[in-house]
């Protein structure tokens, strides 16, 4: 893959516009530990989500995106800056979703984090 200043990149794509063409200044990167979105040409803004903070995802396949093999994946996380991160109009959204699942599970296993740890599990004094 091309070097965009992102080390160990396992997946990258651009936001697709009309006719599914990657004519955009929004680029997405997936590394084994983070999801990164980069927006801009001259003034660049990057947002990162640590994969162990990802709680869920949703795939949206609108008609016009589906015609060109694109879709939108929304990542839900426990990130304070951006709890919902839409990955807009990317090629092969199901493949990206499966790859994201793989790295999220691997990262959670590494840190011993489970779903109940992510949703604010509290112990009750029921007994």
């Amino acid at each position: 893959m091309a070097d965009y200043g992102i080390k160990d990149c396992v997946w990258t794509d651009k936001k697709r516009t009309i006719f599914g063409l990657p004519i955009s200044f929004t680029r997405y990167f997936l590394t084994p530990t983070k999801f990164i979105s980069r927006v801009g040409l001259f003034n660049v803004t990057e947002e990162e989500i640590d994969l162990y903070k990802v709680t869920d995802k949703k795939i949206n396949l609108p008609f016009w995106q589906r015609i060109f093999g694109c879709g939108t994946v929304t990542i839900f996380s426990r990130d304070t800056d951006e709890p919902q991160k839409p990955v807009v109009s990317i090629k092969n959204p199901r493949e990206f979703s499966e790859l994201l699942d793989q790295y999220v599970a691997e990262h959670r296993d590494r840190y011993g984090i489970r779903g109940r740890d992510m949703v604010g599990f509290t112990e009750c004094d029921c007994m």
Side-chain angles (χ1 to χ4, degrees):
M1 291 192 185
D3 182 22
Y4 295 99
I6 306 293
K7 302 271 189 220
D8 303 324
C9 186
V10 295
W11 175 89
T12 186
D13 200 359
K14 287 180 103 175
K15 177 181 172 184
R16 308 285 170 153
T17 57
I18 191 164
F19 303 121
L21 298 173
I23 305 169
S24 170
F25 297 111
T26 302
R27 181 168 279 285
Y28 304 110
F29 302 94
L30 180 65
T31 70
T33 59
K34 296 178 188 263
F35 175 79
I36 302 165
S37 65
R38 181 183 288 172
V39 180
L41 176 63
F42 297 115
N43 295 324
V44 177
T45 302
E46 281 189 5
E47 296 173 354
E48 296 181 355
I49 298 175
D50 290 320
L51 293 184
Y52 74 90
K53 292 182 180 181
V54 173
T55 57
D56 201 7
K57 65 187 174 352
K58 175 176 75 170
I59 299 176
N60 188 16
L61 302 168
F63 177 71
W64 290 108
Q65 287 182 13
R66 205 171 59 234
I67 287 175
F68 301 107
C70 297
T72 298
V73 178
T74 303
I75 300 172
F76 298 94
S77 70
R78 299 288 291 177
D79 190 52
T80 55
D81 294 339
E82 196 160 5
Q84 292 184 18
K85 178 64 182 169
V87 185
V88 180
S89 192
I90 57 170
K91 280 283 191 188
N92 305 316
R94 285 195 176 96
E95 290 178 16
F96 167 71
S97 180
E98 290 171 7
L99 189 63
L100 181 66
D101 277 343
Q102 174 188 341
Y103 283 101
V104 166
E106 182 180 305
H107 214 54
R108 282 187 183 170
D109 288 345
R110 182 180 304 154
Y111 289 112
I113 297 172
R114 296 288 159 236
R116 63 182 163 81
D117 298 332
M118 298 299 292
V119 292
F121 177 77
T122 59
E123 294 184 31
C124 68
D125 295 333
C126 301
M127 295 184 193

